[in-house]
Amino acid sequence: MLTQNKQIAIVGAGPGGLTLARLLQLKGADVKVYERDVNKNARVQGSPLDMHEESGWAALRQANLVDEFNKNVRSGADKKIVVNEQAEVKFSGHGSGEGTGNKPAPPEIDRSALRKIFLESLQPDTVVWDSHFISMEAQNDGWLLHFKNGSSAYADVVIAADGANSKIRPYVTSIKAFYSGFTMVEINVDNAEKAIPHIYKLLNGGKVMAFGNGKCVLGGQKGNGGLGFYASFKPAENWAASSGIDFPDRLQVLAWFKKEYSEWSNIWYQLFENATPPVIPRPIYCMPLDQNWQALPNLTLLGDAAHVMPPFAGEGANTSMFDALELSECLTNAKYHTVQEAISAYEVSMRKRASVATRQSLENGERMHSEGALEKMLAIFVKK
């Protein structure tokens, strides 16, 4: 097996990195995961994830974690509410072609629960916390990794699972992401049942999608009793920096929303009035659909580090988990004679899959931010 007698370093303990660690350990590989978080509880996890049959679900099955997953499924989290800018319900149910007829809706799970499942499936001390990657240098046939806490570690093979702002990606390729045209303002509301009871009741544990005037608000229930929302629109790339808005100031952000979303109901104001700091502007970036590079013998990328894309197709976590599945199979497949051959086979397939998902994400984003977005989205959710 190609991984025999090799130390493998995975940088990043997101869904993709942890999935890969689990799958490689099942094949007997020696794996360490280096994660910048101080510990497993350091990061606030976002809205639930839905597992797609052909990607996230496939990875879970191969990881032998289906039973644990089913114990943590969020009942009702797959429910979707589509409303207009006045918060008038136009669709309520299980849509997007899933959960209709005889096909069940994709199961959903809190991000924190999914992370816990994978962490508990790994061998003790697999994850090295408080390991914020800074740089690395070639050493022997591998890499010497350096971390912010002053520590270093050697690995024969490095896999970058360190997200959209990957510090390892430049060691593989100089290709950079481009601005997709979309920016999302992230708002979180803790104890939402008391803070924003009307919207909390509207969601009823599920997700809401609001469309109007070329803009949208997307939100969902989180496992901690809070709600997470994104006000999504199409400004210039430097909007956040040039807007003059002090984003920690909820009243300034509310004033912006009232102006930018002037035709929207004041029911949405309570999101900003009760927002739990910080409110974060997030310009959305995307990798070129035709990106390409020469495979290296000891380094590769997965997930957002490889193919960051807009979130409008719900493919992020699912794609990264399938990356992990495919990469693990390539690295443990006897038909490849070298690690470089295995990495090359994985990267060719990964880039092709990512290009399809990225195109879908961009097209969905344009549809969701178009003038007729509500009608277009209802045509998808409401099956005639």
Side-chain angles (χ1 to χ4, degrees):
M1 191 167 67
L2 293 173
T3 56
Q4 188 173 0
N5 300 321
K6 285 186 169 58
Q7 174 63 53
I8 299 174
I10 300 169
V11 180
L18 293 179
T19 301
L20 180 61
R22 166 67 173 176
L23 293 170
L24 288 176
Q25 284 189 345
L26 288 175
K27 297 290 184 69
D30 185 2
V31 181
K32 288 290 185 183
V33 179
Y34 297 94
E35 168 55 43
R36 63 185 293 175
D37 288 351
V38 175
N39 56 52
K40 63 183 180 181
N41 301 313
R43 185 178 303 227
V44 176
Q45 300 291 309
S47 300
L49 297 168
D50 63 317
M51 293 289 99
H52 299 173
E53 175 65 27
E54 71 287 354
S55 49
W57 229 170
L60 284 164
R61 284 195 297 269
Q62 196 66 28
N64 297 330
L65 293 174
V66 170
D67 289 344
E68 286 303 312
F69 179 90
N70 286 334
K71 293 176 185 177
N72 290 273
V73 167
R74 274 276 306 281
S75 177
D78 57 303
K79 183 179 181 182
K80 297 176 177 69
I81 310 295
V82 180
V83 304
N84 62 14
E85 69 273 21
Q86 302 304 314
E88 297 168 339
V89 177
K90 301 298 181 180
F91 172 84
S92 177
H94 309 284
S96 69
E98 297 163 320
T100 57
N102 296 320
K103 185 178 181 181
E108 302 216 8
I109 189 170
D110 287 327
R111 292 172 187 263
S112 57
L114 183 65
R115 192 185 211 193
K116 184 172 184 287
I117 289 169
F118 274 108
L119 287 173
E120 292 181 351
S121 77
L122 299 176
Q123 296 169 11
D125 301 320
T126 297
V127 180
V128 184
W129 300 100
D130 191 24
S131 298
H132 186 164
F133 176 87
I134 296 297
S135 65
M136 64 185 189
E137 62 201 48
Q139 186 177 92
N140 302 325
D141 292 328
W143 297 92
L144 184 65
L145 292 80
H146 303 291
F147 303 100
K148 191 174 183 179
N149 61 12
S151 67
S152 298
Y154 174 81
D156 298 290
V157 180
V158 175
I159 294 102
D162 54 339
N165 298 312
S166 172
K167 291 184 177 179
I168 298 179
R169 182 182 169 91
Y171 292 84
V172 176
T173 175
S174 61
I175 299 170
K176 296 182 179 181
F178 64 90
Y179 177 55
S180 68
F182 310 106
T183 289
M184 307 177 84
V185 178
E186 180 182 348
I187 314 110
N188 291 284
V189 181
D190 291 342
N191 195 13
E193 186 174 11
K194 290 185 177 180
I196 50 172
H198 185 82
I199 293 181
Y200 182 88
K201 185 178 180 181
L202 176 69
L203 267 67
N204 193 26
K207 298 183 176 75
V208 66
M209 306 172 76
F211 303 101
N213 314 111
K215 305 174 181 67
C216 52
V217 170
L218 312 171
Q221 178 78 51
K222 299 199 292 184
N224 61 2
L227 296 177
F229 290 88
Y230 295 91
S232 185
F233 68 124
K234 297 183 69 176
E237 181 178 6
N238 67 344
W239 166 77
S242 62
S243 66
I245 299 170
D246 181 15
F247 285 93
D249 187 330
R250 291 181 295 190
L251 293 180
Q252 286 194 35
V253 181
L254 174 59
W256 159 78
F257 183 83
K258 288 179 176 179
K259 181 178 179 181
E260 184 69 34
Y261 286 64
S262 60
E263 296 175 300
W264 286 54
S265 167
N266 59 14
I267 190 176
W268 304 106
Y269 298 172
Q270 60 187 276
L271 298 180
F272 299 90
E273 292 166 346
N274 296 278
T276 303
V279 175
I280 306 171
R282 297 191 182 279
I284 305 300
Y285 289 88
C286 184
M287 287 299 172
L289 276 66
D290 60 350
Q291 62 175 336
N292 194 20
W293 59 80
Q294 186 68 36
L296 297 176
N298 50 18
L299 176 62
T300 189
L301 315 167
L302 66 75
D304 283 351
H307 46 63
V308 64
M309 65 186 73
F312 304 118
E315 290 288 347
N318 282 281
T319 303
S320 68
M321 290 172 69
F322 193 79
D323 287 349
L325 173 58
E326 195 164 55
L327 178 55
S328 69
E329 291 179 343
C330 287
L331 288 174
T332 57
N333 193 320
K335 76 176 183 179
Y336 301 114
H337 298 97
T338 66
V339 172
Q340 187 168 15
E341 279 186 38
I343 287 175
S344 179
Y346 154 73
E347 288 181 344
V348 168
S349 176
M350 174 268 291
R351 287 191 295 261
K352 186 179 298 184
R353 288 186 290 100
S355 180
V356 173
T358 301
R359 186 181 303 277
Q360 182 184 0
S361 298
L362 288 168
E363 289 173 351
N364 282 357
E366 291 297 336
R367 184 182 299 113
M368 293 167 70
H369 295 81
S370 66
E371 286 302 322
L374 180 63
E375 292 73 22
K376 294 173 185 176
M377 296 304 294
L378 286 174
I380 296 173
F381 284 97
V382 182
K383 299 300 179 181
K384 301 298 185 183

